[in-house]
Amino acid sequence: MKLSLETSDKQLSADKIVNKAIAVSGGGVFKKSSLKFEFRDVYYQALRKNHEFLLVRVSVKDQDSIFDMLSNVGFERYRNNAFVKLNDSIAKLYEASVNSVHYFSVLPHGLNDDAVIKTRLENERVKGKDYYKIKVTFNEEGGGEDHEDIFIYWFGKESFKLDYLAYSYNEEDGVGMRFREAYNERYINGLRFVDYNNYKSENTSIKLENLAKAFDENQLKLLSKIELENIKVDLVDP
């Protein structure tokens, strides 16, 4: 599975690989976009303009509309038009759940955020294709509630597109790992989107960085599908 770093690509740092991946996935379009989509019958919207952002989740429950909004200023929840005061621990849970969906929806965008620490690992072959392999961790400052999570990304050596990712999580409702396989690639107004097959390992001894090998050997179990629907991208004037 593992390949030595070839002479021709030794000079490609983790930063350079991620930069190329971002470029083939929409590049600068991301920083001046208004994105709307649905995920599991919940409506999401993201507005980004340079270094400012607003991430929204809208759900309907018992005829009430719940608006969760995360921005540079912080997190707020509204029920219909009324502000909902939350204690800090609950607010952080809602904030993390909103941020998570938006984070995965636009990968690899976001991998150059200030809190991100990227490390290049040895190249790897998965399903007969060669990949650059990047490990991502986060600084505690700026890394959010889930700063202890660890991610591994597999970028095609020829395409630089993100085809696989794996991550570990440590949350109140459990500890574990997931492996995702991208499919259904489409470009909408210049931005690349994919859906994911979401896998888990029933062998708890497998290390995070070895999940692609386990996937290659058909040792993972398909847990769910991550599918974005009704995607719309509008460009925002600078």
Side-chain angles (χ1 to χ4, degrees), residues 104-168:
F104 284 114
S105 72
V106 293
L107 283 171
H109 303 282
L111 294 185
N112 278 337
D113 289 351
D114 292 339
V116 173
I117 303 169
K118 296 184 284 288
T119 304
R120 183 173 173 184
L121 306 179
E122 288 189 336
N123 296 347
E124 190 167 12
R125 182 182 291 269
V126 184
K127 299 297 183 182
K129 184 176 176 181
D130 293 335
Y131 287 91
Y132 295 115
K133 187 175 178 181
I134 306 294
K135 178 181 179 180
V136 166
T137 55
F138 301 90
N139 286 315
E140 183 173 356
E141 182 177 354
E145 283 296 297
D146 300 324
H147 66 270
E148 295 180 345
D149 292 353
I150 300 172
F151 289 77
I152 308 288
Y153 298 95
W154 287 261
F155 300 98
K157 282 197 68 178
E158 294 186 5
S159 69
F160 287 95
K161 292 179 179 179
L162 175 62
D163 285 348
Y164 304 101
L165 66 94
Y167 63 95
S168 64

Side-chain angles (χ1 to χ4, degrees), residues 92-101 103-104 144-151 167-178 180:
K92 290 183 182 300
L93 288 175
Y94 289 151
E95 176 182 333
S97 64
V98 170
N99 186 63
S100 177
V101 173
Y103 176 85
F104 284 114
E145 283 296 297
D146 300 324
H147 66 270
E148 295 180 345
D149 292 353
I150 300 172
F151 289 77
Y167 63 95
S168 64
Y169 60 89
N170 187 352
E171 301 173 352
E172 289 187 1
D173 57 352
V175 177
M177 300 184 298
R178 293 290 183 266
R180 293 188 179 183

Side-chain angles (χ1 to χ4, degrees), residues 161-217:
K161 292 179 179 179
L162 175 62
D163 285 348
Y164 304 101
L165 66 94
Y167 63 95
S168 64
Y169 60 89
N170 187 352
E171 301 173 352
E172 289 187 1
D173 57 352
V175 177
M177 300 184 298
R178 293 290 183 266
F179 181 86
R180 293 188 179 183
E181 172 194 22
Y183 71 96
N184 190 26
E185 177 192 70
R186 63 270 200 207
Y187 281 82
I188 300 175
N189 217 348
L191 281 181
R192 178 180 185 257
F193 294 91
V194 296
D195 296 324
Y196 292 101
N197 287 318
N198 188 33
Y199 295 88
K200 71 173 183 177
S201 172
E202 296 183 325
N203 182 352
T204 57
S205 67
I206 294 179
K207 295 182 179 180
L208 180 69
E209 56 267 30
N210 293 332
L211 282 179
K213 181 177 186 297
F215 171 76
D216 204 50
E217 297 173 352

Side-chain angles (χ1 to χ4, degrees), residues 33-87:
S33 64
S34 172
L35 166 63
K36 301 174 183 177
F37 63 91
E38 293 177 27
F39 174 58
R40 294 176 178 169
D41 297 322
V42 177
Y43 173 82
Y44 291 83
Q45 181 173 1
L47 178 63
R48 298 177 177 89
K49 187 174 181 180
N50 299 319
H51 297 291
E52 297 182 351
F53 67 90
L54 173 63
L55 308 180
V56 179
R57 175 177 65 188
V58 182
S59 54
V60 177
K61 184 177 181 180
D62 299 330
Q63 298 184 334
D64 286 332
S65 294
I66 307 298
F67 297 84
D68 291 322
M69 298 186 291
L70 176 62
S71 70
N72 302 76
V73 177
F75 176 82
E76 293 181 335
R77 165 170 280 209
Y78 290 83
R79 176 174 286 108
N80 300 321
N81 293 322
F83 174 74
V84 179
K85 184 174 177 57
L86 302 168
N87 64 51

